Amino acid sequence: GLFLMQFMIDKVRLSYKEKNSIARLKGYTGIENWNVFARWAFCYSLSLNEEVIFTEDDKLDVEMTWMVFAGKNFKIYQDLLVQECNKLGLELTKANLTKVLRYHLKNGVNKMYGQINDINSFRDIAAG
């Protein structure tokens, strides 16, 4: 626990494009909180098991705290993030954890945005 807290992310950042995509997805599905969508996007991207290729980020203007992103189940998201860093052979540093979270957030938002246009298509994705 304490070991991880030293490395843990304090801020989760998104681009305006991602925030706008989430806003539109909220409208399609009626799900109210964008941090909930950010969690879904992160997990969805992880579940795709694709090759991870890091690219430069757009300007990241939107931010929330790690706890707003992760909520009461923060331990689960923390573990998923650590597991993904390990899988990618990355050292557990704040910078690497942030980079992996950013990748999967961006990827997940983009992929979900391309596939969801109502609550049913969201359910299809959520059901995996």
Side-chain angles (χ1 to χ4, degrees):
L2 191 62
F3 160 75
L4 262 181
M5 288 325 291
Q6 302 166 19
F7 297 110
M8 222 41 240
I9 296 167
D10 44 4
K11 293 264 189 277
V12 177
R13 293 184 169 86
L14 299 169
S15 68
Y16 273 127
K17 181 177 176 284
E18 291 155 6
K19 176 88 196 272
N20 291 339
S21 296
I22 288 175
R24 190 155 302 169
L25 290 170
K26 281 169 48 178
Y28 289 153
T29 60
I31 292 171
E32 284 176 24
N33 298 322
W34 64 284
N35 56 333
V36 172
F37 261 109
R39 291 173 203 162
W40 276 104
F42 171 64
C43 293
Y44 182 54
S45 179
L46 279 175
S47 76
L48 298 173
N49 241 331
E50 302 168 332
E51 185 185 357
V52 172
I53 300 165
F54 296 108
T55 55
E56 274 308 300
D57 265 319
D58 302 329
K59 199 160 176 279
L60 302 177
D61 298 307
V62 182
E63 65 176 42
M64 59 183 135
T65 66
W66 166 256
M67 291 310 288
V68 167
F69 165 74
K72 67 181 191 301
N73 295 318
F74 71 94
K75 185 86 180 73
I76 294 168
Y77 297 102
Q78 193 173 289
D79 291 348
L80 285 169
L81 206 46
V82 167
Q83 187 182 338
E84 183 70 355
C85 278
N86 288 336
K87 187 177 118 184
L88 296 171
L90 297 172
E91 193 185 338
L92 288 184
T93 63
K94 195 174 197 167
N96 284 339
L97 290 164
T98 301
K99 190 163 80 166
V100 169
L101 178 63
R102 269 297 311 141
Y103 170 83
H104 283 295
L105 266 177
K106 178 164 69 174
N107 189 49
V109 167
N110 290 338
K111 294 265 163 72
M112 287 173 80
Y113 187 71
Q115 295 175 40
I116 294 175
N117 50 23
D118 60 21
I119 190 67
N120 293 327
S121 49
F122 177 69
R123 279 198 195 105
D124 293 343
I125 282 183

